[in-house]
Amino acid sequence: MTGPLVPPGPLTTGTELNAVYAIARVVAETYDTETGLDTVFRLARTIFIFDIVSLYLQSEKTGDLEPAYASALGRGRSQEAELSWGEPAAREAYRTGQTVLRQEDAGPSVKGRERRRDYLGLPMLVGGRCVGGLVFGRFGGPSFPPEHIRLAEFVAWHVGQLLENRRLAHRIATLEAQRELARMQDEFISTISHELRTPLGFIKGYVTTLLREDVDWKPETRVEFLRIVDDESDRLRELIDNLLDSSRLESGRLGMTCVPTRIATLIRDASERTRSAHPEMDLRLEIEENLPSADVDATRISQVLDNLLSNAHKYAPDSTVTIVVKNLDDNIRIEVKDFGPGIPTEHIPHLFERFYRVPGETSTIRGTGLGLYICRKIVEAHSGKIGVHSKLDEGSTFYFSLPTIAIAETNNSEKDDE
Ligand code: ADP
């Protein structure tokens, strides 16, 4: 015998019928197993008497039975510690696949009638497999009469359904997560292949052209082609560096080497790099005086600045760009402000996610959606915060903060208004 596979036959009283319908409804409608079990056992107690109920399920890790749920509902309410008493009945029902009745003696520490313990063990069937045992315990007799055993089997069948629902929900969630992962991997491969192909296409095209033996290229044309090859190789290297950084940042393998650093100097260096790369850009600095030092990895913070400035150049090409640096209570706040197209509000919460790019016009500009993610990870590794304020057609202000250390910078002439 493997225990009841369908609810046992017709019931007798109206109370039983109502409780049975209510139990069936709970099983059909409840997704939270713990709440479902609480309700089912509360309803069960209206149709037959028991003092404790406990559920033992096979552990996925060890394969052994482990307590999964326990509740004292009747006379044993104050004796929750004794719930484990039903374990032998659960084990026997699990091992034999049959309903078992055990009578035990609580021993001399329990006075009076309650020394007598009756345990009704029922096999727990989920998806046609016995996965554990359900135990109803009754203290102080009398034992469970046959009609109560029948009702208990009915309840056990429904508890099995509740667990089956949970198993299926879990399985669906796992499958959905796997599908989402596969989708993200596909999307990642297609984005990255596209991004790698573009510079590679230029390099291959111009090199093949230069190698043609039937054409005698003028020196200035040759230089121009080689410059394109040079630029595109830089892009390729930058892309691969970003990919490596992003994977190291994600797994926490990118260590920061932090030393007390003058932030104003970092900002000036970053703005010089941007000016030499984009001489046409109207870049201004507003740096507050007497900035304290901050404990930072200068290379990584420079990377954040370069990224924000490069984005301002890419997405707000004709705009004035201003770097504003302020000393707040215990941190330095750095802002990169442009007067470009701005970013639609609904995309702002996602901007710092890996591979996120705003769809629409700006997505025609080359990029991978890694830059802001890398910035966020670097700033967070410094215990700082990063964010953006943006309004459509007015512009965007990307900002980040870095906690300061108490030593004031010696150079007081940091105010620049260019
Ligand atoms: P990428 O530039 O490679 O696409 P980022 O992570 O640096 O990746 O930026 C994510 C997206 O944020 C960009 O695709 C762009 O749509 C938007 N964005 C970033 N900076 C600006 C800016 N200054 N103005 C408008 N949009 C911006």
Side-chain angles (χ1 to χ4, degrees), residues 7 13 28 90 109 125 142 292 323 349 383:
T13 68
S109 61
L125 294 158
I323 307 179
S383 308

Side-chain angles (χ1 to χ4, degrees), residues 311 314-315 338 343 351 356-358 362 367-369 371-372 398:
N311 275 356
K314 271 199 301 188
Y315 300 108
D338 68 55
I343 300 158
L351 281 187
Y356 194 83
R357 306 202 69 215
V358 176
T362 55
T368 51
L372 290 178
F398 283 87

Side-chain angles (χ1 to χ4, degrees), residues 8-285:
L11 299 146
T12 44
T13 68
T15 319
E16 282 177 5
L17 214 67
N18 285 342
V20 161
Y21 281 140
I23 288 173
R25 200 163 341 111
V26 168
V27 171
E29 292 170 2
T30 311
Y31 293 98
D32 175 357
T33 314
E34 190 81 10
T35 315
L37 289 173
D38 283 345
T39 319
V40 166
F41 295 133
R42 202 171 30 75
L43 288 164
R45 197 149 193 289
T46 63
I47 48 174
F48 70 98
I49 305 295
F50 57 90
D51 295 304
I52 58 132
V53 55
S54 44
L55 177 65
Y56 291 83
L57 294 176
Q58 195 182 29
S59 148
E60 275 180 21
K61 276 196 211 125
T62 62
D64 198 15
L65 278 201
E66 282 178 7
Y69 175 95
S71 179
L73 291 155
R75 289 166 287 179
R77 237 178 230 281
S78 57
Q79 301 170 357
E80 302 232 4
E82 297 185 27
L83 286 169
S84 62
W85 274 64
E87 192 170 335
R91 287 193 177 279
E92 199 180 328
Y94 169 62
R95 190 169 42 78
T96 60
Q98 295 193 15
T99 301
V100 294
L101 253 181
R102 283 176 72 101
Q103 203 193 91
E104 289 174 18
D105 184 338
S109 61
V110 180
K111 298 277 170 274
R113 259 187 345 121
E114 285 199 20
R115 210 172 136 161
R116 175 182 167 160
R117 308 274 150 117
D118 287 282
Y119 292 104
L120 180 60
L122 303 134
M124 191 65 334
L125 294 158
V126 176
R129 223 164 53 83
C130 188
V131 297
L134 177 68
V135 178
F136 292 101
R138 193 180 259 199
F139 301 163
S143 185
F144 292 93
E147 63 275 19
H148 284 190
I149 295 178
R150 192 165 53 90
L151 287 169
E153 284 175 342
F154 174 88
V155 173
W157 186 85
H158 276 91
V159 169
Q161 290 303 297
L162 209 57
L163 298 177
E164 172 71 351
N165 291 352
R166 178 175 69 176
R167 193 179 68 87
L168 290 177
H170 188 71
R171 179 102 190 94
I172 290 168
T174 312
L175 287 174
E176 274 174 3
Q178 284 169 350
R179 210 171 49 194
E180 176 63 8
L181 189 67
R183 192 193 60 74
M184 280 166 64
Q185 281 168 345
D186 281 353
E187 204 174 283
F188 169 76
I189 291 168
S190 96
T191 310
I192 293 310
S193 325
H194 177 77
E195 287 304 318
L196 291 172
R197 250 165 195 274
T198 315
L200 211 56
F202 278 111
I203 295 168
K204 170 78 181 150
Y206 281 101
V207 170
T208 308
T209 309
L210 281 173
L211 284 174
R212 275 175 62 174
E213 283 175 1
D214 56 335
V215 189
D216 204 7
W217 297 109
K218 281 195 267 173
E220 57 271 28
T221 314
R222 190 185 299 272
V223 168
E224 193 193 324
F225 286 4
L226 284 173
R227 192 160 289 138
I228 295 171
V229 170
D230 190 42
D231 284 352
E232 294 301 320
S233 311
D234 283 347
R235 252 195 73 72
L236 210 52
R237 198 195 47 212
E238 189 189 323
L239 198 68
I240 291 164
D241 284 350
N242 274 349
L243 275 172
L244 284 175
D245 279 356
S246 107
S247 110
R248 287 195 200 120
L249 283 161
E250 186 68 29
S251 61
R253 280 178 295 123
L254 191 68
M256 302 284 152
T257 314
C258 294
V259 290
T261 306
R262 291 180 176 188
I263 297 301
T265 312
L266 277 193
I267 310 266
R268 281 177 213 291
D269 290 349
S271 59
E272 279 320 310
R273 277 193 301 277
T274 302
R275 281 189 182 119
S276 76
H278 312 294
E280 78 293 352
M281 187 165 164
D282 179 11
L283 177 63
R284 303 169 186 209
L285 302 187

